[in-house]
Amino acid sequence: MIGFLYLLSVVVSFLTVRRSRTVYGTYWNHYFFFNAWWLGTLFLTFDSPNYPPIHELTYMVFLGGLLVFNITILFLRPVRFNLANPRKEVFFNIRHRRYIELFVFICYLPLIKDNVISLMHGNAFWLIREEFFERESSYMVEAIMAYICRPLSSILFITAYYKYYTNLKKHSYTFNIIISVFLVLCSCFSTGGRTVVINFIVLYVIMCFCYSFGYYKDVLNKNAKFNPLLLAIPVCGVLFMTLSRNLINEKVSLWELLQFSYGLYGGLLDYYLCGDGRAAWPEYTYGLSTFEGVYLFVNYYVKIFFSGEICSYIPVDNIIQEPVFLIDSDFPVNAHVSMYFRFIRDWGWAGVIIGPIMMSLLFHWIFRLGAKKQVHLLFYFYMLMQINYTTFDNGFSKNYFVMFIFWYLILTKFTTKTRYVDFTDNSGLQR
């Protein structure tokens, strides 16, 4: 039954992506990447050796939510692009970018200093990750990561592919991507994790696809062209960190590691829907879980100035960060609950419908902003990268997503200038 529904989902996804080209002028949109990611992750879930079988109810949630997301394409009108020639484009100042890069590195420095010294003394890289979870970080360290390092690093990664800068030098674009890779390394040395490297790879793959569409290409520089060497470097880095942590050995193959890392039962939703974790949903939270980043952002200042909280609310992270042992499994797992944990916690079973519809409308709205003013395609590309998180938790509900928007608005408002650009070759753009 589930196999048949999966094949049906593949067919529906194919038809959805075909229809999406009519709406967005290109196949490389959120419907393509969302379907590709979810169908690929579900494929890794079947017959996973790491977890017991998933209940059919959980599969119905995943496949039903994907169907709802796809159906929304039928109610969307084609987006009209701003094709004026010449037209206004937003220019960043390359000097401002260098100042921001230096600022982010300075913020990373106290976080990586001890780890770099430890590595120089011959300690294994995988110990960084173990020590990161064992030590209790100060609130200041957590605030620096959440409010500065992560959101600003993401903005620097996205704008490394952006074309329009003032005060450009001969190798400015190259330096943008090199410094971005350097900041990726800083993040790895701060926590010992592979997540930022994987996100960087996901973003690069997305950029390579998007570079083939004329309207996207107008704002992308040569870094977005596919370069096997540029892709090989972070991939080798992920393999090195994986091998150094002994995640691949005589008993665990690379394929089994992929199933363990990205299979949806590692997402734990089955445990909370059909297992011992059902007590995590004693009552509905009516949007607080889905928009938790906004709540935590506002509540932070309420706690500072009024020594209280807006309401009695247990954050999702406080629930899903606790390791649990699943039935017939020797692996303690946590946190990877997929986006449906938040949707169902907010609205019950109706969340399987409400959540995907909201996701679709959010993507559509941001795409329309980018169709009117191309700089906002940067925000759209960032959201495409966040699809990577929907099978784990929901990056759009996180505090760092709110801070990304905050920094993005600040930088595009106060560090840019608008100039007219003459487009002499737009023949590849579907009008």
Side-chain angles (χ1 to χ4, degrees), residues 198-397:
I198 294 173
N199 291 344
F200 190 79
I201 294 173
V202 169
L203 176 62
Y204 180 69
V205 172
I206 289 172
M207 291 294 96
C208 291
F209 277 107
C210 291
Y211 193 73
S212 64
F213 178 45
Y215 191 76
Y216 292 158
K217 189 176 180 179
D218 285 343
V219 299
L220 297 175
N221 63 48
K222 62 182 183 181
N223 290 331
K225 291 182 179 180
F226 178 70
N227 184 333
L229 179 62
L230 189 59
L231 182 62
I233 293 174
V235 169
C236 290
V238 171
L239 290 175
F240 166 75
M241 286 182 279
T242 300
L243 292 171
S244 67
R245 289 168 60 185
N246 198 32
L247 296 179
I248 299 177
N249 51 49
E250 294 180 355
K251 296 182 179 180
V252 181
S253 66
L254 176 60
W255 174 252
E256 290 173 333
L257 177 63
L258 287 173
Q259 288 183 297
F260 177 77
S261 299
Y262 294 99
L264 273 169
Y265 199 49
L268 284 179
L269 186 67
D270 191 80
Y271 169 80
Y272 288 102
L273 279 180
C274 309
D276 297 334
R278 281 174 287 184
W281 292 323
E283 57 186 16
Y284 296 155
T285 49
Y286 300 108
L288 277 178
S289 297
T290 301
F291 300 98
E292 187 173 279
V294 177
Y295 168 79
L296 293 177
F297 180 75
V298 176
N299 191 60
Y300 171 72
Y301 298 99
V302 172
K303 291 175 68 174
I304 290 178
F305 295 110
F306 301 102
S307 300
E309 295 186 351
I310 298 176
C311 62
S312 177
Y313 170 74
I314 301 175
V316 170
D317 279 348
N318 288 8
I319 298 173
I320 64 176
Q321 290 290 348
E322 294 296 325
V324 296
F325 284 88
L326 306 174
I327 299 173
D328 299 328
S329 175
D330 297 328
F331 299 97
V333 290
N334 68 349
H336 298 177
V337 292
S338 89
M339 63 183 186
Y340 292 105
F341 182 97
R342 294 179 183 272
F343 296 155
I344 295 175
R345 190 177 185 230
D346 274 339
W347 300 290
W349 294 113
V352 182
I353 299 174
I354 295 173
I357 291 176
M358 291 175 56
M359 292 278 290
S360 171
L361 294 177
L362 177 62
F363 274 106
H364 183 72
W365 179 61
I366 298 301
F367 187 95
R368 289 184 60 191
L369 288 180
K372 295 178 180 179
K373 199 171 186 179
Q374 283 186 300
V375 68
H376 296 316
L377 288 175
L378 297 176
F379 192 10
Y380 181 70
F381 295 148
Y382 175 74
M383 291 183 59
L384 291 180
M385 184 179 70
Q386 294 301 308
I387 291 175
N388 173 37
Y389 282 104
T390 56
T391 50
F392 292 88
D393 183 355
N394 191 2
F396 303 106
S397 302

Side-chain angles (χ1 to χ4, degrees), residues 88-274:
K88 289 183 178 180
E89 292 294 343
V90 174
F91 283 74
F92 291 95
N93 190 323
I94 197 71
R95 294 174 183 172
H96 293 161
R97 178 184 174 88
R98 298 293 177 252
Y99 296 147
I100 296 171
E101 290 166 343
L102 179 61
F103 174 66
V104 173
F105 171 70
I106 292 173
C107 291
Y108 266 123
L109 193 59
L111 305 178
I112 67 175
K113 177 175 65 68
D114 292 339
N115 291 333
V116 171
I117 294 173
S118 176
L119 290 172
M120 292 175 65
H121 288 166
N123 291 331
F125 181 83
W126 63 270
L127 287 173
I128 294 177
R129 189 67 172 169
E130 184 174 291
E131 293 173 357
F132 174 78
F133 284 111
E134 289 180 350
R135 66 174 179 262
E136 293 185 4
S137 301
S138 67
Y139 184 79
M140 181 59 68
V141 170
E142 296 293 335
I144 289 174
M145 289 293 293
Y147 289 89
I148 297 177
C149 293
R150 288 178 180 173
L152 279 180
S153 293
S154 295
I155 289 176
L156 291 173
F157 298 160
I158 296 289
T159 53
Y161 301 99
Y162 192 60
K163 180 186 295 183
Y164 298 114
Y165 284 92
T166 58
N167 299 311
L168 277 172
K169 304 297 182 182
K170 183 178 180 180
H171 299 292
S172 293
Y173 290 149
T174 302
F175 282 128
N176 286 351
I177 200 72
I178 290 175
I179 295 174
S180 296
V181 172
F182 177 73
L183 292 177
V184 169
L185 294 176
C186 287
S187 178
C188 292
F189 289 144
S190 65
T191 64
R194 301 166 295 161
T195 302
V196 177
V197 186
I198 294 173
N199 291 344
F200 190 79
I201 294 173
V202 169
L203 176 62
Y204 180 69
V205 172
I206 289 172
M207 291 294 96
C208 291
F209 277 107
C210 291
Y211 193 73
S212 64
F213 178 45
Y215 191 76
Y216 292 158
K217 189 176 180 179
D218 285 343
V219 299
L220 297 175
N221 63 48
K222 62 182 183 181
N223 290 331
K225 291 182 179 180
F226 178 70
N227 184 333
L229 179 62
L230 189 59
L231 182 62
I233 293 174
V235 169
C236 290
V238 171
L239 290 175
F240 166 75
M241 286 182 279
T242 300
L243 292 171
S244 67
R245 289 168 60 185
N246 198 32
L247 296 179
I248 299 177
N249 51 49
E250 294 180 355
K251 296 182 179 180
V252 181
S253 66
L254 176 60
W255 174 252
E256 290 173 333
L257 177 63
L258 287 173
Q259 288 183 297
F260 177 77
S261 299
Y262 294 99
L264 273 169
Y265 199 49
L268 284 179
L269 186 67
D270 191 80
Y271 169 80
Y272 288 102
L273 279 180
C274 309

Side-chain angles (χ1 to χ4, degrees), residues 13 16-36 69-70 73 76 206 209-210 213 216 363 367 380-381 384 387:
S13 298
T16 298
V17 173
R18 286 193 63 182
R19 164 65 182 170
S20 71
R21 188 182 186 280
T22 303
V23 177
Y24 300 109
T26 176
Y27 291 117
W28 315 128
N29 57 68
H30 49 281
Y31 282 97
F32 170 80
F33 291 109
F34 192 89
N35 278 282
F69 184 85
N70 286 331
I73 193 65
L76 300 176
I206 289 172
F209 277 107
C210 291
F213 178 45
Y216 292 158
F363 274 106
F367 187 95
Y380 181 70
F381 295 148
L384 291 180
I387 291 175

Side-chain angles (χ1 to χ4, degrees), residues 5-17 31 34-35 38-39 42 59-75 339-340 352-357 360:
L5 291 177
Y6 178 83
L7 292 177
L8 182 62
S9 296
V10 173
V11 174
V12 172
S13 298
F14 175 77
L15 297 175
T16 298
V17 173
Y31 282 97
F34 192 89
N35 278 282
W38 271 86
L39 290 174
L42 280 169
Y59 273 121
M60 295 296 289
V61 168
F62 295 140
L63 295 173
L66 185 61
L67 177 63
V68 171
F69 184 85
N70 286 331
I71 287 176
T72 57
I73 193 65
L74 300 176
F75 303 95
M339 63 183 186
Y340 292 105
V352 182
I353 299 174
I354 295 173
I357 291 176
S360 171

